[in-house]
């Protein structure tokens, strides 16, 4: 079965600093990978997705992620954190066949310090 | 402009009293999903509909049922809510299954069981 591991349930960065949120997946076949953001009491919003095209994926709000097969990783980065980036971030994986079910990581709460 | 709509946003029910949560979509997507998200946890898939074809996750309790009367609407029925069913319930849609189609989430319904 597909699974993802998010290292660090809480990450704090200063405003303007680099954001790095880690995600590793387990799969013998490269899956589809997603990053979603969730603000308090709201649904999930897609930031970006990897579907076996370019390994460096650019998303909304200045976020990007790089798929590294050798490391089975799909870490999310943003060069300069903004106060509005404070939220919960979920990495998710789905299989290349089947029902497109998403399997989520446990999430990383990002705090941005002014 | 709303794409996935969930009503109500907040629902309070009594222990053992049946409750229905609703979801509608304006995207004309084939697939609709229901997730349960408990506090500080990742969303967990309960079931999904591919068109009219219902697919239950193996560990979804029988207490949870779903109906999809047409393409636009999907309902989550909790027959006898327990205190452990208090959670955020998220509805999502995707255009199709497989091929890495992204899921679009509604804002969620927060269920409180008293």
């Amino acid at each position: 079965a597909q699974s993802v591991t998010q290292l660090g349930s809480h990450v704090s960065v200063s405003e303007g600093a680099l954001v790095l949120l880690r995600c590793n997946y387990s799969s013998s076949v490269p899956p589809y990978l997603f990053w979603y953001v969730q603000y308090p009491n709201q649904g999930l919003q897609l930031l970006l997705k990897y579907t076996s095209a370019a390994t460096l994926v650019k998303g909304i709000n200045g976020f990007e992620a790089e798929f590294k097969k050798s490391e089975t990783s799909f870490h999310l980065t943003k060069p300069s954190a903004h106060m509005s980036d404070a939220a919960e971030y979920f990495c998710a994986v789905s299989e290349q066949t089947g029902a497109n079910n998403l399997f989520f990581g446990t999430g990383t709460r990002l705090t941005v310090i002014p | 402009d709303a794409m996935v709509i969930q009503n109500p946003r907040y629902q309070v029910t009594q222990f053992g009293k049946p409750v229905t949560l609703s979801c509608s979509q304006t995207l004309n997507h084939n697939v609709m999903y229901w997730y349960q998200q408990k506090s500080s946890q990742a969303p967990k898939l309960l079931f999904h509909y591919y068109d009219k074809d219902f697919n239950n996750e193996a560990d979804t309790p029988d207490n949870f049922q779903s109906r999809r009367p047409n393409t636009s609407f999907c309902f989550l029925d909790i027959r006898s809510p327990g205190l452990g069913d208090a959670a955020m319930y998220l509805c999502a849609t995707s255009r199709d299954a497989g091929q890495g189609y992204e899921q679009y989430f509604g804002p969620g319904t927060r269920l409180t069981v008293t």
Side-chain angles (χ1 to χ4, degrees), chain A residues 35 48 54-59 63-67 74-77:
Chain A
W35 275 100
L48 47 81
T55 57
L56 181 62
V57 182
K58 294 187 183 299
F63 284 93
E64 62 182 37
E66 186 173 7
F67 173 75
F74 190 57
H75 301 332
L76 182 70
T77 61

Side-chain angles (χ1 to χ4, degrees), chain A residues 32 34 36 38 41-44 46 49 51 90 94-107 109, chain B residues 9-10 33 35 37 40-43 45 48 57 88 90 94 96-103 105-108 110:
Chain A
Y32 298 115
F34 306 81
Y36 282 87
Q38 186 178 33
N41 290 314
Q42 294 188 26
L44 280 71
L46 181 70
K49 66 177 182 180
T51 56
F90 291 96
S94 71
E95 298 170 338
Q96 289 196 2
T97 59
N100 201 38
N101 293 350
L102 283 176
F103 299 92
F104 287 90
T106 50
R109 182 169 299 277
Chain B
R9 293 293 314 276
Y10 300 90
Y33 308 81
Y35 290 86
Q37 186 181 23
S40 300
Q41 295 185 21
L45 182 66
H48 74 274
E57 291 300 297
M88 175 78 90
L90 297 166
S94 67
D96 210 325
Q99 299 297 313
Y101 287 107
E102 64 196 71
Q103 294 187 19
F105 284 80
R110 183 167 295 283

